[in-house]
Amino acid sequence: MSPIPKPGRDGVRTHVLLITAMAIVMVVTMALLVVLVRERFRAQATADLSLNLRRSVIAFRDLQQDRFDALERENSLLASLPTLKALMTSGDDLTIQDGAVEYWQLSGEDLLALTTPNGRVISVYSKVPEKGTNLPSALSTLVAQPARRNIVDGKTLYACSVRPIYFGSDVSGTILGYVISGMSIERSVRQISAPAGAEAAFLSGGRVVTSTLSASAQQNLIAQLGPLSGASLSPAPLALGGDRYMAAVDTLSSVDSSPLQLVVLKSVRPTEKWIARTDRIVLSAGLIAVLVGAICMVILGRVLTRPLEELSRSVRAFGAGDGAYRVPRYGTREVRHLSSAFARMREETQRANQARLESERLATIGLMASSVSHDLRHYLAAVYANAEFLASDTLPPDERAEIFADIRSAVLGTADMIESLLIFSRTGSSVRYAEEKVVPILEHALSLVRAHPDSQHAIFEKDFCHHEDLIARVDGKQVERAVYNLLLNACQAGLIAERVPHVQLSLRLSGDFFIVRCVDNGNGVPEAIRMRLFDPFVSEGKQKGTGLGLTLANCIAEEHGGEVVLVSSSTGETIFEIRMLISPSAGPGAADANQKGSHALVH
């Protein structure tokens, strides 16, 4: 069975292409899925965060309103107490200040103040240890501006309720003064920030009044008040102290001299951690899916492509001459149909080749018979006629010798023709390589050609200069036969041109080859036979011969790793070269040419 040639660089294997394409599709799909899921989660998380912020602001607003309503009710009850009215009728500031302590403690609020009808503050009591210097003036402003609810004392923000104290009924009585109750909003900030997981800050007059933020974060918040000023209940991104927040702003009071704003902030770090965790989960699921898909594709690819690969090997084996290589009979329906079609095609091709070979063999036999029959009949006729002459007793000795020479020439020609046919039939099967000197082989071939009748008047010129010691690993008899055929063809070419044959034989080296060149002075090789010059039984212009000379010479050269080449051909000069490999074990003549040589002109 012939060895199956290995595939060269003839493209990507089918299962590799399938797996690669599927892996690329899956990776791209998973990447897009991760991006889409991430962006979807981010948008949803941002929307949820914004909604929570708005709800926190609304919850704080409702809480403040409830607390303020309670403060209003408590302050209304306090202003209607008869004892407080009696205290305010005394008109003495010290008496009022001493008596107000009891009512401040009774109210339990963070701030309590009593003022005259014109707004002058008589007494102020606050749970804040250090009161600001502008607290009395701020309280007086509340009396002058009933719609105002909030005042700032240092770093404390109060939501205040102002109620008049009447002597008599509230409709027709006389105003004795005002009682002001206030509650610190800082407690509200803690109440809203703790359960909501958010930070809160109150801004007034371009500064932070109270906040759950650190001092550095408060400074950053002040620096970014501009973008937040118009973002009422619309969350906006904010960066404070290396952390990112979403912030919502609500204006609590716009009628105060310094409008009061509530800023609720929620860190996006938990959301980003959740998104990152989700990304890892989705990515891990995607990688697992890609891995499982790749394994499935490997299995599927092998199932689908293995019969195709075996079919491809069958095709290559058939191309290499192995017609018995197994054709796969399994796989998908299409592969089985293809295998069956290829098997039928292979059988038909083998039958057609067998028929063609038989036809070519018969044609070759016919061509050979046609080529040699004339020469054989010529030689046999010469032998038969001259044998009849020899049978006569009246022939003188000189004529008998001449007739015997003709018979001998005809017999030798017949033997030579038969030997050529035998060599042609067994070329390559009896080659015996040995290390031999090349020049003696060429000399012996020359001597044999000189003995041939077609070279009786030929002029031979040889040039083996510098290569007398060349040793090559060859079959000497075969090489001699090849050179002999070239020399004989050269002599016959001169005779056909009706010239005295002039033949030049030379030897030279070229790399790993030795080259024997033969030059004749004939008319050249006709254009009609140059393309099939080395085919058997091809000749032009010869009256005798089998047409095997160049064919045998080329076959022998190929067996020695070379070839016979027609270098040039024109009227008066035709050059043939026999190129053969020198064995690696050749003697020194192959690497270092001897300076001795011979150049002679022989007649």
Side-chain angles (χ1 to χ4, degrees):
M1 185 177 292
S2 304
I4 302 172
K6 295 183 178 179
R9 299 178 61 185
D10 51 359
V12 183
R13 300 182 71 175
T14 305
H15 75 275
V16 174
L17 184 61
L18 284 174
I19 294 171
T20 303
M22 182 57 65
I24 292 174
V25 170
M26 295 182 68
V27 168
V28 172
T29 303
M30 290 308 303
L32 292 175
L33 180 60
V34 168
V35 171
L36 292 176
V37 169
R38 177 186 177 86
E39 293 302 319
R40 178 62 180 170
F41 281 174
R42 183 181 294 277
Q44 186 62 43
T46 302
D48 293 343
L49 188 60
S50 301
L51 180 60
N52 290 337
L53 280 175
R54 286 194 293 268
R55 288 176 178 175
S56 297
V57 172
I58 294 172
F60 179 79
R61 183 188 295 171
D62 295 341
L63 176 64
Q64 282 295 99
Q65 186 63 43
D66 292 341
R67 293 192 62 188
F68 187 78
D69 292 343
L71 181 63
E72 283 282 344
R73 289 192 297 271
E74 293 175 1
N75 203 31
S76 176
L77 292 174
L78 189 61
S80 63
L81 290 176
T83 54
L84 181 58
K85 293 182 179 183
L87 180 62
M88 292 299 293
T89 58
S90 65
D92 182 42
D93 290 352
L94 292 177
T95 302
I96 294 173
Q97 291 173 3
D98 292 338
V101 175
E102 178 183 356
Y103 297 104
W104 175 57
Q105 294 174 348
L106 178 65
S107 66
E109 298 295 341
D110 298 321
L111 175 67
L112 182 68
L114 296 175
T115 68
T116 62
N118 59 3
R120 181 178 64 86
V121 178
I122 301 173
S123 63
V124 178
Y125 296 96
S126 173
K127 292 183 178 181
V128 178
E130 296 181 1
K131 296 187 291 294
T133 57
N134 63 341
L135 183 57
S137 60
L139 293 171
S140 300
T141 306
L142 288 176
V143 176
Q145 299 177 2
R148 186 174 179 179
R149 292 184 175 183
N150 304 294
I151 61 171
V152 178
D153 177 31
K155 295 184 178 180
T156 304
L157 175 64
Y158 295 99
C160 299
S161 172
V162 181
R163 298 294 295 181
I165 303 173
Y166 288 97
F167 179 75
S169 66
D170 293 344
V171 178
S172 59
T174 303
I175 296 178
L176 299 175
Y178 292 90
V179 57
I180 302 175
S181 298
M183 59 180 178
S184 174
I185 297 183
E186 184 176 356
R187 285 188 297 172
S188 300
V189 172
R190 301 298 177 185
Q191 289 175 350
I192 191 173
S193 62
E199 304 288 346
F202 283 92
L203 308 179
S204 179
R207 64 189 181 89
V208 178
V209 178
T210 183
S211 174
T212 59
L213 296 170
S214 62
S216 60
Q218 292 179 22
Q219 294 297 325
N220 292 333
L221 180 62
I222 294 172
Q224 301 184 52
L225 284 177
L228 292 173
S229 59
S232 179
L233 291 181
S234 298
L238 198 64
L240 299 177
D243 200 358
R244 297 175 59 246
Y245 294 87
M246 291 293 291
V249 180
D250 184 29
T251 302
L252 299 179
S253 175
S254 59
V255 298
D256 296 339
S257 57
S258 295
L260 183 64
Q261 292 179 314
L262 168 65
V263 181
V264 180
L265 307 98
K266 204 159 189 177
S267 175
V268 299
R269 182 177 298 174
T271 302
E272 290 180 342
K273 289 183 179 179
W274 178 75
I275 292 175
R277 185 167 60 252
T278 304
D279 287 346
R280 288 192 295 270
I281 294 173
V282 174
L283 184 60
S284 300
L287 291 177
I288 293 174
V290 170
L291 181 60
V292 173
I295 294 174
C296 293
M297 282 305 303
V298 168
I299 298 173
L300 183 61
R302 294 304 298 172
V303 170
L304 291 177
T305 61
R306 187 173 180 180
L308 288 176
E309 292 176 356
E310 290 191 9
L311 181 60
S312 175
R313 287 194 290 269
S314 301
V315 173
R316 291 197 299 271
F318 182 61
D322 184 4
Y325 192 84
R326 183 175 62 89
V327 178
R329 299 294 183 181
Y330 64 96
T332 60
R333 179 184 300 176
E334 292 78 8
V335 175
R336 293 183 182 184
H337 289 174
L338 186 60
S339 298
S340 300
F342 171 70
R344 290 193 300 270
M345 182 198 71
R346 186 173 67 176
E347 293 174 359
E348 293 174 358
T349 302
Q350 288 174 335
R351 287 196 297 268
N353 287 341
Q354 188 66 30
R356 182 179 57 83
L357 291 175
E358 184 68 20
S359 175
E360 289 180 355
R361 186 179 68 83
L362 294 176
T364 302
I365 292 174
L367 183 61
M368 179 182 66
S370 174
S371 176
V372 303
S373 61
H374 177 270
D375 292 328
L376 285 175
R377 282 196 296 268
H378 173 76
Y379 289 136
L380 291 175
V383 171
Y384 179 78
N386 286 314
E388 287 185 343
F389 286 131
L390 284 176
S392 174
D393 296 332
T394 60
L395 289 177
D398 292 341
E399 290 183 6
R400 285 179 178 274
E402 183 178 351
I403 291 173
F404 180 76
D406 290 341
I407 293 175
R408 179 175 177 273
S409 176
V411 171
L412 289 176
T414 304
D416 183 66
M417 182 182 299
I418 293 173
E419 183 180 1
S420 296
L421 293 173
L422 290 176
I423 292 175
F424 173 69
S425 66
R426 69 170 184 263
T427 296
S429 61
S430 60
V431 179
R432 296 178 177 86
Y433 294 102
E435 293 185 359
E436 299 188 32
K437 286 189 174 183
V438 177
V439 171
I441 296 174
L442 303 182
E443 293 280 8
H444 193 257
L446 270 173
S447 65
L448 290 177
V449 171
R450 289 193 190 101
H452 197 280
D454 289 341
S455 62
Q456 290 181 357
H457 305 289
I459 300 174
F460 293 96
E461 183 179 349
K462 61 181 180 180
D463 182 5
F464 307 145
C465 184
H466 308 308
H467 302 302
E468 288 185 340
D469 295 330
L470 175 63
I471 297 176
R473 189 170 182 271
V474 296
D475 186 332
K477 291 295 183 181
Q478 297 277 33
V479 175
E480 179 184 298
R481 184 72 186 185
V483 176
Y484 172 83
N485 286 342
L486 279 186
L487 292 173
L488 185 58
N489 274 357
C491 293
Q492 292 172 349
L495 293 176
I496 293 173
E498 298 182 351
R499 302 186 185 99
V500 176
H502 186 191
V503 181
Q504 299 175 1
L505 186 66
S506 62
L507 174 65
R508 64 186 178 90
L509 297 180
S510 176
D512 295 332
F513 292 85
F514 69 89
I515 300 175
V516 179
R517 171 175 285 202
C518 180
V519 183
D520 65 64
N521 62 339
N523 290 332
V525 179
E527 290 287 345
I529 65 171
R530 286 190 183 184
M531 297 301 295
R532 51 192 182 91
L533 186 61
F534 299 106
D535 292 344
F537 313 115
V538 174
S539 62
E540 181 76 17
K542 293 184 180 181
Q543 299 300 321
K544 57 183 177 178
T546 61
L548 292 175
L550 289 179
T551 303
L552 291 176
N554 189 54
C555 290
I556 293 170
E558 289 178 349
E559 291 167 357
H560 289 76
E563 60 180 342
V564 176
V565 179
L566 175 62
V567 179
S568 64
S569 182
S570 60
T571 302
E573 184 182 70
T574 298
I575 303 175
F576 280 94
E577 285 185 352
I578 301 179
R579 301 176 182 178
M580 298 184 184
L581 276 174
I582 303 172
S583 172
S585 61
D592 187 11
N594 196 313
Q595 297 301 321
K596 296 181 180 181
S598 64
H599 181 78
L601 185 65
V602 183
H603 296 273

